[in-house]
Amino acid sequence: MLPRRAWALLTCAAGICSQFDQYIAWLDSFMTGCGASLGNGNWFDNCDWVTCECVNLALSVPVPNSEVAQCFEQGMKLQKVTREHQQFTFALMQTCFGRTEELGKPCGTCDKFRSERIECLQADSLVSFIENNTAEDIQPAANIQEKASAARAALPVVLVALAFQGAR
C-alpha cells in the first residue's frame, strides 16, 4: 500500500480524482447549501446568495485543493457535474468573486477561526481602541512631538551632508 502522500502525488500527476464519489456528493451539498437563500432566482441575478454558510461549505471539500479542478473535469467527462453545477461554480468564481473573496478572507466576516487568529485579535483590538477614543485621546505625548520637530529641523542638514559625501 502506498503512503497517502505518494498516492496523492500519483493521482495528481495522472489527473485522477482520489475521492471522486465524495467530491460529487460534496459539490451537490455545496450547491444546495449555497442555493438555499436563492429561492427561485438565478445564480447570476445577484450575489446575495453568497453567504457565510455558503463560503464555509467550500472548506469541507473532501479532496486536496490541488485536485479540485481535476475532480471537476472528471465529473464533466463522466456527466456527473451538471450544467447547474457549472453555472453555480462559474457564478461563485466569476460573477460573485468579489463577494466570495471578501467574505472568505482571513479575519473577514465569515472566518470561522477569527477568534483564534492572533492577527485578527490584534486588528480587532486596534479597531476597538480607535472606536473608543477620540483624536485628542490618541495624540502623541508632548516630548514625542518635540523630538519629531527636532528631527524634521535636522533633516536638511543631514541631506546636505549626504550630498556632500556623494560629491567627493
Side-chain angles (χ1 to χ4, degrees), residues 30-133:
F30 183 29
M31 183 176 73
T32 302
C34 291
S37 64
L38 185 62
N40 294 329
N42 181 312
W43 296 114
F44 303 100
D45 287 345
N46 61 53
C47 297
D48 294 343
W49 57 270
V50 181
T51 62
C52 287
E53 179 186 350
C54 176
V55 169
N56 287 325
L57 283 170
L59 299 176
S60 63
V61 65
V63 297
N65 289 342
S66 60
E67 286 185 34
V68 170
Q70 294 161 339
C71 293
F72 195 84
E73 288 175 22
Q74 187 176 340
M76 288 184 1
K77 287 177 187 170
L78 297 174
Q79 297 181 340
K80 297 284 186 178
V81 172
T82 67
R83 183 162 176 76
E84 189 176 6
H85 287 127
Q86 293 173 39
Q87 291 173 341
F88 159 69
T89 305
F90 186 85
L92 189 67
M93 300 307 294
Q94 294 292 321
T95 307
C96 299
F97 178 77
R99 180 167 171 86
T100 304
E101 189 75 7
E102 181 64 28
L103 291 176
K105 70 182 179 183
C107 303
T109 305
C110 301
D111 184 352
K112 289 170 40 170
F113 305 103
R114 179 185 183 98
S115 63
E116 298 172 25
R117 296 181 197 268
I118 292 171
E119 64 272 22
C120 299
L121 297 174
Q122 290 170 339
D124 289 346
S125 294
L126 179 60
V127 168
S128 177
F129 177 79
I130 291 170
E131 288 175 347
N132 294 318
N133 291 284

Side-chain angles (χ1 to χ4, degrees), residues 143-159:
N143 62 347
I144 292 175
Q145 287 189 4
E146 289 170 13
K147 289 178 183 176
S149 295
R152 278 194 296 276
L155 186 59
V157 175
V158 171
L159 291 175

